[in-house]
Amino acid sequence: MELDGTVAQLVLARWGDHRPGLRFEDLVLSHHQVAAGAAARAALLRELLDARREPHIGILLDNTPEYPLWLSAAALAGAAVAGINPTRRGAELARDIRHTDCQVLLTERVHLPLLTGLDLPGVRVLVTDSAAYAELLAPYEGAEPSVSATVSPASRMLLYFTSGSTGAPKAAVCSQRRLAAAGRSLVTHFDVRPDDVHYICMPMFHGNAVIADWAPALAAGAGTALRRRFSASGFLDDVRDFGATYFTYVGRAVQYILDTPARDDDRAHPLRVGFGTEAGAVDARRFEERFGVRLVEGYGSSEGGAAIQRTAGTPDGAIGRAAPGDDLAVLDPGTGAECAAAAFGPGGRLLNGDAAIGELVNRGRSPFEGYWRNAAADAERVRGDGWYWTGDLFYRDADGYFYFAGRADDRLRVDSENLAAAVIEAILARWEPVVGVAVYAVPDPVAGDQVMAALALRDGVDFDPVGFAEFLLAQGDLGTKMAPRFVRVVERLPVTATNKVARGVLRGEGFRCADDGEVWWRPRGGGAYRVFAEADVAGVVGEFRERGREGLLG
């Protein structure tokens, strides 16, 4: 049996290691106890799984110790884990469980109501905080770790859903080989040591927490500390209590932490690095200034098809360069031609976004392992030439550094000029009153799009239309088409379960006034922002009606 390069091998390595390995609230388990718990669950799993069906289990849990224990058990038993999102409901939730062919579903009492009335034929539900579960597991307690004969580096390990903006979520496949390799790579990149403690506060049903946080801790023999659900107010106390040295983040988590009241002891903690995506350069700088912790913005497509490494000398605003040996390019999605190198003007303004922004494509060997039972989605990612199309917008400078410009569906076209939402967001995030910003397209009554921005402001701060306009004028890298025509002021941006901004919700609501905030606008030819009143709404709707485009308003 070939175990080199498997997650199972990493689990076995922790047997006999009596250092603290897993912390959760007041519970502390040694690495040995974690391996023993995984061994017991793997033995139970072998009894539960029907060999005639796919060896898949679903996990519908918060970040409790059962989650990493069952991940480790699945690795030993040669099973694949489907992370089930507890924010899904009804038919969509049932679809996720059925689509990934789960034989067993692990859940807890708090989530049982989500399963009421769902059609889940052939799925055995185990409630991990029940007496029945304890009785079921009891005969296997004390088992030593053993690896099923079917386990190999190619064995499926994860089926994790990508957070696409349209259609049903796709379940990306991740093998034991890829997960173990990702863990080892991050150990090297961040110099993870056995005495480190990885704080897992992002949801473990998402690839970020498992691939970028749990896997490197397992590979290095470092400890892990779990937070049931992310809490900005509890973040720093957890870091201190657990002795955490490393954490990962996605979406707006960093903004939420920065929005907590500053304290005199904000730098009194052992944390040394955070790794994630979408914090943005402004918030990363604020985080380091306040907490003394370096945030490393990385890029790796959820499916594993392409990755960019940040190295010393990476310019501000850039993600990094392609890893050695990788052939990454920015291509025009329409023609397949390589986009022009980015040209910058004073203040770092991108001068040729229309020619430079395109889709990031891996033209070399890709570790993408496909989607579960979704050939159409596979074909969209890997095209006839074997290249992997990420679905993400980037531009690249003359020195080969890549800059993230948003998802492909976050592109705006204003007056025949292509713009990227992420570029505008990075500029608007500099405005001191802002704690959260999302830029998205709303339709133009004539053609193309108009720029709209949703702003979440600091507590107790009202939107200052004059101050905001003056701020925009002072930004040397804000192109003439980038300034928002509409500004929606909200208490908090709508987010997905993984703290990513739900731009689909914002786009769907458009520029109309909403109950949870107010909308301001700058009429054509007018330099000042003013409230978008009912009379203004009627006037804009009239423009769309006159041109036969009213249907675009939804």
Side-chain angles (χ1 to χ4, degrees):
M1 186 190 313
E2 178 56 59
L3 292 182
D4 286 346
T6 64
V7 178
Q9 179 188 47
L10 301 178
V11 174
L12 290 176
R14 303 279 66 81
W15 181 257
D17 185 345
H18 296 282
R19 296 174 302 117
L22 176 61
R23 297 167 170 86
F24 174 74
E25 297 176 351
D26 295 328
L27 175 71
V28 180
L29 298 177
S30 69
H31 287 291
H32 178 81
Q33 288 173 311
V34 172
R41 286 158 180 78
L44 170 61
L45 191 56
R46 294 185 186 101
E47 294 296 323
L48 296 178
L49 293 180
D50 184 342
R52 295 167 298 180
R53 299 171 57 192
E54 297 293 349
H56 296 176
I57 65 173
I59 300 184
L60 178 62
L61 296 171
D62 292 333
N63 288 1
T64 67
E66 290 291 337
Y67 216 122
L69 286 170
W70 275 99
L71 283 171
S72 299
L76 296 175
V81 171
I84 307 300
N85 183 345
T87 68
R88 301 271 282 174
R89 294 291 185 273
E92 291 183 341
L93 176 62
R95 177 265 173 197
D96 292 349
I97 298 167
R98 293 196 304 266
H99 175 68
T100 45
D101 296 315
C102 295
Q103 294 193 46
V104 177
L105 178 66
L106 284 301
T107 191
E108 51 190 322
R109 291 182 189 276
V110 69
H111 294 315
L112 271 180
L114 300 179
L115 303 177
T116 302
L118 298 190
D119 182 24
L120 299 173
V123 179
R124 180 166 183 172
V125 177
L126 302 184
V127 182
T128 59
D129 51 352
S130 69
Y133 173 76
E135 292 174 6
L136 193 64
L137 189 60
Y140 304 98
E141 298 286 2
E144 293 191 10
S146 63
V147 182
S148 296
T150 58
V151 171
S152 74
S155 297
R156 284 190 300 275
M157 177 70 211
L158 301 176
L159 298 170
Y160 56 96
F161 289 99
T162 61
S163 53
S165 58
T166 59
K170 303 180 289 290
V173 175
C174 180
S175 66
Q176 292 212 25
R177 176 193 294 112
R178 182 156 78 87
L179 183 58
R184 291 190 173 107
S185 175
L186 289 171
V187 167
T188 300
H189 191 70
F190 289 109
D191 189 26
V192 180
R193 302 179 293 269
D195 59 350
D196 278 322
V197 175
H198 285 212
Y199 178 49
I200 303 177
C201 56
M202 296 292 99
M204 294 191 74
F205 65 77
H206 189 259
N208 168 275
V210 175
I211 298 173
D213 214 342
W214 180 74
L218 182 67
T224 56
L226 304 179
R227 173 83 188 198
R228 176 179 282 276
R229 296 175 188 168
F230 172 72
S231 168
S233 61
F235 175 83
L236 198 55
D237 288 338
D238 276 355
V239 165
R240 292 189 181 112
D241 291 344
F242 293 135
T245 56
Y246 172 106
F247 81 107
T248 62
Y249 60 87
V250 292
R252 295 299 181 254
V254 168
Q255 288 183 349
Y256 296 152
I257 296 169
L258 288 170
D259 201 29
T260 60
R263 296 171 7 186
D264 292 338
D265 60 352
D266 276 343
R267 286 179 168 242
H269 57 74
L271 197 62
R272 62 184 176 87
V273 67
F275 175 53
T277 61
E278 299 184 36
V282 172
D283 282 340
R285 183 168 59 252
R286 290 173 178 168
F287 197 90
E288 184 165 11
E289 289 171 353
R290 177 172 166 184
F291 299 106
V293 176
R294 178 175 60 107
L295 296 186
V296 178
E297 285 277 293
Y299 173 81
S301 69
S302 300
E303 298 84 348
I308 296 173
Q309 293 184 349
R310 187 175 185 87
T311 56
T314 298
D316 288 344
I319 299 296
R321 284 172 161 160
D326 285 353
D327 183 11
L328 301 186
V330 179
L331 305 184
D332 184 313
T335 66
E338 189 157 358
C339 294
F344 301 99
R349 175 184 168 189
L350 179 63
L351 299 177
N352 62 338
D354 198 54
I357 295 174
E359 188 169 344
L360 183 69
V361 177
N362 185 350
R363 300 183 297 192
R365 182 177 178 276
S366 167
F368 174 59
E369 295 174 310
Y371 296 109
W372 181 248
R373 300 196 189 284
N374 198 330
D378 287 346
E380 182 182 351
R381 283 283 172 261
V382 181
R383 310 214 179 141
D385 46 20
W387 295 354
Y388 178 86
W389 292 71
T390 66
D392 291 323
L393 299 177
F394 275 80
Y395 51 98
R396 180 166 62 172
D397 66 21
D399 296 319
Y401 289 100
F402 290 91
Y403 297 71
F404 181 65
R407 293 286 300 170
D409 57 3
D410 291 336
R411 183 191 289 266
L412 303 85
R413 189 164 180 83
V414 179
D415 294 339
S416 299
E417 182 175 337
N418 288 327
L419 305 175
V423 175
I424 305 173
E425 286 173 354
I427 297 171
L428 300 188
R430 301 170 191 158
W431 195 37
E432 201 279 332
V434 164
V435 295
V437 57
V439 169
Y440 50 101
V442 291
D444 185 274
V446 178
D449 305 316
Q450 302 172 91
V451 180
M452 185 162 186
L455 304 179
L457 306 182
R458 301 185 185 282
D459 289 342
V461 176
D462 294 326
F463 180 68
D464 176 5
V466 175
F468 183 65
E470 291 175 347
F471 160 80
L472 295 178
L473 287 173
Q475 307 311 303
D477 54 348
L478 185 74
T480 57
K481 310 295 185 184
M482 293 181 179
R485 188 177 182 202
F486 295 91
V487 175
R488 180 174 172 182
V489 181
V490 297
E491 182 176 339
R492 174 166 286 194
L493 296 172
V495 295
T496 67
T498 55
N499 288 316
K500 295 183 177 181
V501 173
R503 286 185 178 81
V505 172
L506 293 169
R507 281 193 293 264
E509 294 171 347
F511 54 65
R512 296 176 185 270
C513 296
D515 294 337
D516 64 340
E518 57 186 1
V519 174
W520 296 71
W521 79 314
R522 186 154 57 179
R524 294 186 188 280
Y529 284 95
R530 71 173 195 234
V531 172
F532 191 51
E534 286 302 318
D536 298 315
V537 174
V540 170
V541 171
E543 287 187 68
F544 278 87
R545 185 178 296 118
E546 289 173 8
R547 293 170 172 83
R549 290 167 62 85
E550 189 176 4
L552 297 177
L553 299 178

